[in-house]
């Protein structure tokens, strides 16, 4: 796909910058407040965390969950996450989220600051993967940057997908996918796909809770009318 090169550069950025990633959580109060919000969210049962990064959210999820399966494609950030997380209920898994498919279902699928890194052309497949990973009655819980965050990024134009330029301490530069989702548009898009969704804004970020389409009900209705 046209965005493959951009996604490869995004992966390179997170691998090279793993040691610098946590700095933002110490510098920005908004992120610290978001971390505290986890206790208010419907995190329960067996949890699948997508793009777990350095484990900042993983430890908080583990305190609420029966088990946590934390997935990321970058071995460098997973090493930091493992060092941070001592909980016996957490299992880490290295996998490319654009190719990986869960082998079981979970009560909660959680992802923080990952949705904005998914190219728009891949969003339908992504949401289908999330839906397939959820057990009946399960919920997707997600946190990300809203449009206001664009003011703090070096936004690029004429790219295969919405993108921004990031720099590391050594002066290296990387393009990443960066989609600044508007809460209302995202709600409308998911609702159109049959999801039940609630999204609220918090400072320049948003917090979403979504339930997938009732596919069992749809199948039953199809059988009844056939």
């Amino acid at each position: 796909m046209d965005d493959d090169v951009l996604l490869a550069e995004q992966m390179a950025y997170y691998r090279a910058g793993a040691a610098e990633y946590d700095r933002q959580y110490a510098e920005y109060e908004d992120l610290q407040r978001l971390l505290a919000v986890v206790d208010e969210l419907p995190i329960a049962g067996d949890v699948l965390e997508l793009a777990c990064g350095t484990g900042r959210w993983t430890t908080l999820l583990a305190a609420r969950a029966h088990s946590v399966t934390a997935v990321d494609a970058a071995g460098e950030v997973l090493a930091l996450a493992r060092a941070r997380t001592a909980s016996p209920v957490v299992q880490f898994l290295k996998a490319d989220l654009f190719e990986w498919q869960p082998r079981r279902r979970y009560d909660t699928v959680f992802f923080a600051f990952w949705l904005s890194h998914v190219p728009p052309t891949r969003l339908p497949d992504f949401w289908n993967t999330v839906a397939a990973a959820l057990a009946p009655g399960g919920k997707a819980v997600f946190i990300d940057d809203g449009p206001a965050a664009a003011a703090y990024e070096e936004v690029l134009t004429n790219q295969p997908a919405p993108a921004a330029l990031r720099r590391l301490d050594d002066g290296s530069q990387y393009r990443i996918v960066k989609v600044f989702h508007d809460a209302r548009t995202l709600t409308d898009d998911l609702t159109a796909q049959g999801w039940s969704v609630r999204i609220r804004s918090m400072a320049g970020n948003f917090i979403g809770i979504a339930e997938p389409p009732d596919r069992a009900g749809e199948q039953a209705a199809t059988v009844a009318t056939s």
Side-chain angles (χ1 to χ4, degrees):
M1 298 179 70
D2 290 341
D3 50 30
D4 282 343
V5 174
L6 186 58
L7 287 172
E9 200 166 326
Q10 175 171 278
M11 171 64 67
Y13 166 74
Y14 280 106
R15 292 187 62 189
E20 301 175 27
Y21 183 80
D22 284 339
R23 186 182 303 161
Q24 60 188 323
Y25 286 94
E27 294 177 348
Y28 297 108
E29 292 183 2
D30 287 347
L31 283 176
Q32 296 168 21
R33 285 193 288 266
L34 279 173
L35 288 169
V37 168
V38 170
D39 287 341
E40 305 171 12
L41 299 175
I43 307 296
D46 294 318
V47 176
L48 172 64
E49 182 186 9
L50 302 178
C52 67
T54 61
R56 276 287 179 176
W57 302 87
T58 312
T59 54
L60 302 175
L61 299 175
R64 306 282 307 283
H66 174 71
S67 71
V68 178
T69 301
V71 185
D72 203 286
E76 289 81 356
V77 297
L78 280 175
L80 295 173
R82 288 190 178 99
R84 166 177 281 130
T85 309
S87 174
V89 307
V90 178
Q91 176 186 7
F92 290 100
L93 178 63
K94 184 176 182 293
D96 184 342
L97 292 178
F98 293 109
E99 298 178 358
W100 178 76
Q101 293 291 323
R103 296 182 178 180
R104 53 161 297 188
R105 292 190 171 191
Y106 300 84
D107 302 297
T108 310
V109 176
F110 177 88
F111 39 102
F113 300 101
W114 169 245
L115 189 64
S116 59
H117 293 317
V118 179
T121 56
R122 302 194 185 211
L123 275 177
D125 286 343
F126 172 73
W127 285 113
N128 286 338
T129 297
V130 174
L134 285 168
K139 293 179 174 61
V141 180
F142 48 97
I143 297 171
D144 217 311
D145 291 316
Y152 303 97
E153 295 277 4
E154 189 172 341
V155 177
L156 301 174
T157 59
N158 300 319
Q159 301 295 316
L165 187 68
R166 295 274 182 89
R167 294 178 170 84
L168 296 177
D169 288 349
D170 63 4
S172 58
Q173 301 180 9
Y174 302 84
R175 296 174 302 162
I176 63 164
V177 175
K178 194 63 179 176
V179 184
F180 301 99
H181 290 282
D182 172 75
R184 176 170 295 181
T185 301
L186 184 57
T187 298
D188 290 344
D189 289 346
L190 283 172
T191 300
Q193 297 176 42
W195 287 75
S196 173
V197 58
R198 304 185 306 279
I199 299 177
R200 64 184 175 98
S201 297
M202 184 173 177
N205 309 108
F206 62 79
I207 302 168
I209 301 170
E211 298 179 50
D214 184 359
R215 297 187 176 181
E218 291 173 0
Q219 292 172 357
T222 300
V223 171
T225 57
S226 62

